[in-house]
Amino acid sequence: MKSKYIFFAVSLLAALSANAQETYENAKLAGEDLNGTARYVGMGGAMEALGADVSTIGTNPAGLGLFRRNNISVSGGLVMQSNGKEFANGNKTNPSFDQIGGVYTTRTGQKSFLNFGFNYHKGKNFDYILNAANSLNGSSQNKQSYIKGMLGDESTGGFYVDKNKNGEYIGYVNATGKSVAYTWSQIDYLYWNTLIPSNNAANPTYNYEPATAYDFNRSHTGYIGNYDFAVSGNLNDRVYLGLTFGIKDVHYNAYSEYMERFAGSKGAKVVDDRKITGSGFDITAGIIVRPVAESPFRIGAYVKSPTWYDLTTSNVTSLAYYNGAVNPNKTISNSYDYKMWTPWKFGFSLGHTVGNYLALGVTYECEDYSRINSRINDGGYYDYYGDYYESSSPDRNMNEHTRQVLKAVNTLKLGVEYKPVTNLSLRLGYNYVSPMYSSDGQKDPGIASFGTAYSSTTDYTDWKDINRFTLGVGYQFQQFTVDLAYQYSAQDGDFYPFSDIRNVEMNKKDPATGKITKVLESNTATGTKVQNNRSQLLLTFGYRF
């Protein structure tokens, strides 16, 4: 199943009664950017053992236990894309409101505190424009839909095509089943009702258009907002404990145009507008320990629960077929609810200070994205008091695909802060984030899942590792602080307009004789190297009292 060339699923979910989402769409919501206060970003986020910054509320809330005074802060700046061309409503430079929060401290003993904190920060900024273009050498997006129809059965990753009572082509489970196949996607519907059938209504034949090249543009906008509420305790200035309850607010928008050029002046254009909204919550627990009373050296550890997301996705997708004559076009739209659970996250950190002029931090995190749990909403129940609870169950087919395509991500954060004078701080940081995607992963259009059925695009990108470089400066004047940080994030990826299929055996009917023969069909996409390189300028104003 991890083959780059034959990737159709052959197993089926016995009964699907609601909705789930596709692996690559889920992956867009997983993980977090490096963001928060300018001090936190300037040190590469390596403050999970050093603490005393409100941004640690979402990673290691024990860091709030190191506060000795009340504190409030607010942050904002600019996010700038360094590559690509502007498209549709996407801009390469965007303002961003990134953080606001504070910590309230209460003394419970001579060396003990009980602190309370709240912080909002933009956990993920989706503002990004993706551009890709390349040759296709006879393969095409519509050929993928054609091959699925020729397979003729959901159990082999395809569907059986027939007309419904409204005269539309529909993909069914098999030649005798009356249920629509879960392998029949929205993009399949568009192609089978515009391009693939011939104009002979009495005795139609089916074929595909080979493409010479493609051009693709997509603008992503939106964000995931994190709202964290925490309590943290300090025991004799040696042990620090913290607990955070987090709420996430999802707003993701993507608008894309995909154009294929066929022989002559013919071509096809798919326009897709998709939105994902919803909310989620998680819980984070952490600890920081100073093992030696006379030393400022600290060890931190923390664990974050899955984020339990309840989401809604909607799309409007249209296809225009330019064949020089009739130029048929078709539009489809859908909306549905689904759930997604992210994996557990574990972190370990070290921190050390030298006098009041040097701070050093290192953090390691691990999160296994192959364990993302795509969930099917399968109804609910009322308890004894009349309260309604919605239930869900795993989408086993899609989750199996996720385990093959995604993998565990390891993150290393390094940070240093140096004070040449008492009220001036200079900071430097670095992050390495290992790849989330397998090198041979791809979308599987033959999975029997609602994630496939509601798919309106076929493209995917296998993103590689991330390198982040940060630097910052901070100035303190009496009770006020001003911090500035710069971050540069670099990531390469391989973009594909559709999945590869090679040497799939199927039946093909000769329109003249009616004779059916066995043929081997292939459809291989040309990948394009893409980049997601971004810069961020971040400014934080703080007040201590």
Side-chain angles (χ1 to χ4, degrees):
M1 286 286 289
K2 291 184 72 173
S3 167
K4 191 71 175 176
Y5 306 123
I6 301 176
F7 212 73
F8 277 151
V10 296
S11 62
L12 297 176
L13 191 62
L16 286 169
S17 57
N19 309 308
Q21 186 59 295
E22 190 272 332
T23 296
Y24 280 84
E25 292 297 319
N26 284 340
K28 293 175 182 177
L29 306 184
E32 285 203 355
D33 298 335
L34 174 62
N35 202 13
T37 65
R39 182 183 180 224
Y40 181 80
V41 172
M43 291 189 66
M47 300 190 66
E48 281 71 33
L50 291 170
D53 190 284
V54 71
S55 290
T56 64
I57 193 173
T59 52
N60 187 355
L64 271 62
L66 282 92
F67 277 93
R68 296 295 179 269
R69 299 170 65 183
N70 302 324
N71 173 277
I72 57 174
S73 60
V74 60
S75 308
L78 295 173
V79 176
M80 298 154 283
Q81 181 176 335
S82 59
N83 59 296
K85 59 183 180 181
E86 293 194 348
F87 169 72
N89 60 341
N91 299 309
K92 293 177 64 174
T93 299
N94 296 282
S96 180
F97 177 69
D98 294 289
Q99 178 271 332
I100 185 169
V103 177
Y104 176 73
T105 67
T106 61
R107 184 184 294 272
T108 59
Q110 185 177 1
K111 293 184 177 182
S112 299
F113 288 80
L114 184 65
N115 298 342
F116 301 89
F118 164 76
N119 192 54
Y120 161 83
H121 85 277
K122 188 174 288 183
K124 199 146 192 176
N125 189 329
F126 292 118
D127 291 345
Y128 171 64
I129 303 168
L130 177 64
N131 314 113
N134 217 320
S135 61
L136 281 175
N137 303 314
S139 295
S140 62
Q141 187 184 64
N142 69 89
K143 187 177 180 181
Q144 176 175 285
S145 292
Y146 166 82
I147 290 175
K148 291 172 67 177
M150 293 303 102
L151 286 171
D153 197 296
E154 185 184 66
S155 64
T156 59
F159 42 76
Y160 178 80
V161 180
D162 201 356
K163 288 187 175 181
N164 63 11
K165 62 182 180 180
N166 297 322
E168 293 183 313
Y169 285 95
I170 300 295
Y172 295 98
V173 172
N174 52 44
T176 59
K178 298 185 181 299
S179 300
V180 177
Y182 291 115
T183 49
W184 170 256
S185 69
Q186 295 189 73
I187 197 70
D188 295 326
Y189 168 85
L190 293 175
Y191 274 118
W192 275 92
N193 285 280
T194 54
L195 186 154
I196 294 175
S198 67
N199 293 326
N200 187 344
N203 188 26
T205 58
Y206 309 123
N207 215 328
Y208 60 88
E209 288 277 12
T212 59
Y214 70 86
D215 188 79
F216 178 86
N217 296 282
R218 173 178 288 136
S219 64
H220 308 77
T221 59
Y223 63 93
I224 298 179
N226 293 3
Y227 304 82
D228 293 321
F229 304 83
V231 58
S232 180
N234 168 3
L235 306 176
N236 296 318
D237 218 16
R238 292 284 304 278
V239 178
Y240 310 84
L241 302 169
L243 185 69
T244 294
F245 177 76
I247 300 173
K248 295 189 186 319
D249 183 28
V250 179
H251 298 272
Y252 170 80
N253 305 281
Y255 174 84
S256 65
E257 294 181 0
Y258 175 70
M259 181 74 183
E260 285 185 340
R261 292 187 289 277
F262 305 150
S265 60
K266 294 191 293 184
K269 182 178 182 181
V270 177
V271 177
D272 181 71
D273 190 357
R274 180 170 291 275
K275 296 177 173 60
I276 302 176
T277 58
S279 60
F281 68 94
D282 54 32
I283 299 170
T284 306
I287 184 172
I288 297 174
V289 176
R290 284 199 306 116
V292 180
E294 295 78 16
S295 171
F297 175 72
R298 300 190 276 276
I299 301 172
Y302 53 95
V303 58
K304 181 183 285 289
S305 75
T307 299
W308 294 283
Y309 277 118
D310 194 352
L311 302 164
T312 298
T313 183
S314 60
N315 71 286
V316 178
T317 309
S318 62
L319 167 66
Y321 174 34
Y322 306 101
N323 62 5
V326 181
N327 293 332
N329 61 80
K330 198 81 172 175
T331 298
I332 189 171
S333 61
N334 264 304
S335 177
Y336 69 92
D337 301 328
Y338 68 102
K339 289 182 172 60
M340 183 189 81
W341 297 353
T342 65
W344 289 83
K345 179 191 285 187
F346 302 91
F348 178 79
S349 56
L350 303 174
H352 187 62
T353 58
V354 179
N356 61 357
Y357 64 89
L358 183 65
L360 304 168
V362 57
T363 297
Y364 167 77
E365 294 178 345
C366 182
E367 192 168 8
D368 187 358
Y369 291 111
S370 70
R371 310 310 298 183
I372 288 177
N373 190 347
S374 187
R375 309 282 299 181
I376 299 167
N377 290 343
D378 51 14
Y381 63 92
Y382 290 92
D383 66 11
Y384 178 81
Y385 301 99
D387 295 320
Y388 182 78
Y389 296 90
E390 191 174 64
S391 61
S392 65
S393 57
D395 183 344
R396 295 183 178 87
N397 282 353
M398 192 57 71
N399 289 340
E400 177 60 29
H401 176 254
T402 299
R403 283 190 283 272
Q404 295 159 3
V405 171
L406 304 184
K407 56 186 180 179
V409 170
N410 301 292
T411 300
L412 177 66
K413 305 179 188 178
L414 303 174
V416 58
E417 180 181 61
Y418 172 65
K419 291 185 176 182
V421 294
T422 303
N423 59 348
L424 179 66
S425 300
L426 304 177
R427 303 173 184 119
L428 192 66
Y430 170 73
N431 282 186
Y432 173 77
V433 185
S434 67
M436 178 190 298
Y437 301 87
S438 299
S439 59
D440 59 353
Q442 66 173 27
K443 273 190 177 182
D444 186 349
I447 297 176
S449 164
F450 263 94
T452 302
Y454 281 88
S455 179
S456 57
T457 56
T458 60
D459 68 277
Y460 63 96
T461 305
D462 288 328
W463 292 105
K464 303 183 186 300
D465 54 0
I466 304 172
N467 286 277
R468 300 179 180 132
F469 305 89
T470 69
L471 53 89
V473 60
Y475 182 77
Q476 181 177 348
F477 175 71
Q478 295 181 353
Q479 295 173 287
F480 296 91
T481 59
V482 180
D483 298 281
L484 179 67
Y486 171 78
Q487 174 184 184
Y488 179 73
S489 175
Q491 185 180 31
D492 295 329
D494 296 316
F495 171 87
Y496 295 89
F498 45 80
S499 304
D500 287 351
I501 306 167
R502 286 192 177 178
N503 298 326
V504 176
E505 185 178 76
M506 61 185 64
N507 296 324
K508 189 167 185 178
K509 183 179 179 180
D510 188 317
T513 64
K515 183 179 178 180
I516 296 177
T517 57
K518 295 285 187 180
V519 297
L520 295 178
E521 286 282 5
S522 297
N523 194 50
T524 58
T526 307
T528 301
K529 300 293 183 182
V530 294
Q531 293 181 323
N532 183 7
N533 298 341
R534 297 194 293 180
S535 298
Q536 180 189 24
L537 278 176
L538 185 64
L539 182 65
T540 298
F541 294 99
Y543 179 68
R544 302 174 182 177
F545 58 98

